[in-house]
Amino acid sequence: MPLTPLDIHNKEFSRRLRGYDEDEVNEFLDQVIKDYESIIRENKEIHNQMLSLQERLDHFLNIEETLSKTIIVAQEAADEVKNNAKKEAQLIIKESEKNADRIINESLSKSRKIAMEVEELKKQASIYRTRFRTLVEAQLELLSQDGWEQLESSSDSRDIREANEVY
């Protein structure tokens, strides 16, 4: 067990003949007590400072650990957000490709349908032209026949008779 200043102060030496000067020894012991007390005080102050610094160090180590964990969590969250964004982008691209394919297929289908309608209209126009040509040719043939003049003369005389009857 270490000496205390009180132990030094209360220390009694045995007396002998021709021993040391008692006043000198006491004076030296007083000086040792003062120095020893000063060293003990300094030691306590240093110890208290060390405890305070240790507390601060522990606090900062705790903050460092928390920050490290926070950075790791933030990095994981960022990675997750990035992965989710990539997946969502891929889904959007796939959906857009499906829509584009659907629109293209619908357009091709409509185009084919219109082409078929155009062909049908061309056929109908051809049939109509043929029928109309046949009709016109038949009418021209009727006009070119000799019997037409007879119809005209009998028609003219009938018109004259009808006109006379009216008056």
Side-chain angles (χ1 to χ4, degrees):
M1 186 162 158
L3 288 176
T4 65
L6 191 57
D7 291 337
I8 295 171
H9 182 66
N10 292 335
K11 177 67 178 170
E12 293 288 328
F13 294 97
S14 54
R15 295 180 193 225
R16 291 194 184 170
L17 277 176
R18 290 195 195 195
Y20 293 107
D21 181 8
E22 192 176 322
D23 289 335
E24 226 178 282
V25 169
N26 285 337
E27 199 176 293
F28 179 76
L29 286 176
D30 287 341
Q31 183 63 41
V32 168
I33 289 171
K34 285 180 188 176
D35 290 347
Y36 195 69
E37 283 177 342
S38 173
I39 289 173
I40 288 175
R41 255 187 260 113
E42 275 182 41
N43 191 17
K44 281 185 182 178
E45 285 177 15
I46 290 172
H47 182 72
N48 288 338
Q49 285 179 352
M50 186 209 50
L51 289 176
S52 174
L53 290 173
Q54 185 63 44
E55 284 178 15
R56 289 182 68 195
L57 177 64
D58 290 344
H59 174 72
F60 288 124
L61 288 174
N62 188 21
I63 289 174
E64 179 186 18
E65 183 179 341
T66 302
L67 287 174
S68 178
K69 287 179 182 178
T70 302
I71 289 171
I72 290 170
V73 168
Q75 183 64 40
E76 289 172 353
D79 289 344
E80 186 174 334
V81 166
K82 189 166 103 176
N83 289 336
N84 287 341
K86 282 182 181 178
K87 288 177 184 176
E88 189 172 338
Q90 289 173 347
L91 288 175
I92 289 171
I93 289 170
K94 285 181 182 178
E95 187 67 28
S96 298
E97 288 173 348
K98 285 180 185 177
N99 285 339
D101 288 344
R102 181 184 50 80
I103 290 169
I104 289 170
N105 289 336
E106 286 176 1
S107 297
L108 289 173
S109 175
K110 286 179 182 178
S111 174
R112 284 187 205 112
K113 184 177 177 184
I114 290 171
M116 288 172 57
E117 288 175 0
V118 166
E119 287 300 316
E120 183 63 30
L121 287 173
K122 284 180 182 178
K123 286 179 187 177
Q124 288 178 5
S126 177
I127 292 170
Y128 176 75
R129 275 196 323 239
T130 303
R131 285 182 182 169
F132 190 68
R133 185 180 298 122
T134 305
L135 177 66
V136 168
E137 286 173 355
Q139 293 298 319
L140 284 173
E141 190 177 320
L142 277 176
L143 287 174
S144 65
Q145 289 179 0
D146 291 332
W148 184 256
E149 291 173 3
Q150 289 175 356
L151 285 174
E152 277 185 349
S153 63
S154 68
S155 165
D156 286 337
S157 58
R158 195 177 355 151
D159 287 341
I160 294 172
R161 271 185 262 145
E162 287 177 1
N164 288 332
E165 288 177 6
V166 171
Y167 293 110

